[in-house]
Amino acid sequence: MKHKLFLVKGLLLTVVLILLLVGCSSKNNLIEQNDDYLTITTTTYIQPDLDEMTTSIYKYAPKTKELIEIFNFPYTSQYPLGAFSSNDKIVYYTKTDDNKHDQIFSYNLETKEETKLTTNLRAVNQIIPTKEKVFFIASSNRVLRLGMLDKQSGMISYWGDEDTNVETITINPDTEKLYISAFSYSQDREVIEKQFGSDENKYSMPLFSVYETDFKFTDTQQLFSEHAWIKILMVNWIDNKIIAIYDKEYNSEEKSKAVSIHASSHELEEFILPPERMQVDGASFSVDGKGLYVTSVINDKRGVYYYDFESKEYTPVFISEDGFINNFQLILSTQ
């Protein structure tokens, strides 16, 4: 009887070990895959202490529908940001430094080493990693600027001047082009000051412009301008177009509008948006151009969804039941 009991326990232990090894192997395989994927950042409360929160970085593979948590760390920054780069197995994210300012850090999943990449920032609004560079939007004084960190040298360079306030960016890694939404800080202040001195109580939106530049910041051209909040930019790789989504006012309740800009001819045309409002926490075309990945509220559930252009249906990709989705982005295999 004892021998049978030992045999059963031995078999159970073997099964548990196999399951653990399979689970670890599956996670490692998903991390190793260099297919296109979504990197998703969320924050959740640490139970039972509700005063502390943790930030998690997930990887979602559209081909297999697999989702895994890549990395988590204590939430300390003004706004949690993160992005996983599968090519170099590094996570890029924000944390506060000793001066209570947000800086960009990296964590190498293979060496288990954390590196502080910036020292003089105050707030960080966006991080996009590529094979050789990390692009980011951050402030060190009054405006948000577009920065570029060279992974090899650690050197940082900036696009534009100290009067250019950058709202959002997107990239096309295949053509090595960046697309930027920005406006003049001084012109915006001037309009606000004039309005304070008048009896009118209506805020006039600054002139936002969409720019194209290369990965070295050497060749910039203006593509589109509008007195509106150009809040989201997307690249349609199939049709070689940039989509600019805008509101007539900040946090407007009206339906957003969008314009499609051809990357070569700069021809403009209206772009029809999905029926549900797209939030600024992330938006991207699918690689095949047949749909969009969006952050929206569907059936009272806020999450990352895939919207199919043909069926006009939403499919849940990630819904955080016990936390908040901060941002996401699509990372291409060529990126």
Side-chain angles (χ1 to χ4, degrees), residues 31 37 39 57 59 70 82-86 89-91 109 129 331:
I31 292 176
Y37 62 93
T39 174
I57 311 294
K59 178 183 180 182
I70 297 292
F84 170 58
S85 176
S86 181
K89 310 298 180 297
I90 291 178
V91 182
L109 297 177
I331 304 289

Side-chain angles (χ1 to χ4, degrees), residues 63-111:
K63 284 186 178 179
T64 62
K65 314 300 182 188
E66 289 181 277
L67 176 77
I68 61 166
E69 184 184 53
I70 297 292
F71 181 63
N72 65 71
F73 56 97
Y75 165 38
T76 62
S77 59
Q78 298 177 55
Y79 177 67
L81 272 176
F84 170 58
S85 176
S86 181
N87 281 316
D88 49 17
K89 310 298 180 297
I90 291 178
V91 182
Y92 299 92
Y93 54 98
T94 53
K95 284 172 46 177
T96 55
D97 59 14
D98 295 337
N99 297 318
K100 303 301 181 183
H101 295 160
D102 289 0
Q103 305 298 338
I104 301 174
F105 290 76
S106 68
Y107 182 82
N108 190 308
L109 297 177
E110 294 181 337
T111 64

Side-chain angles (χ1 to χ4, degrees), residues 301-315:
K301 289 189 175 181
R302 184 179 181 276
V304 179
Y305 293 87
Y306 174 73
Y307 176 77
D308 186 277
F309 288 137
E310 184 176 353
S311 67
K312 302 188 185 307
E313 293 182 352
Y314 289 90
T315 302

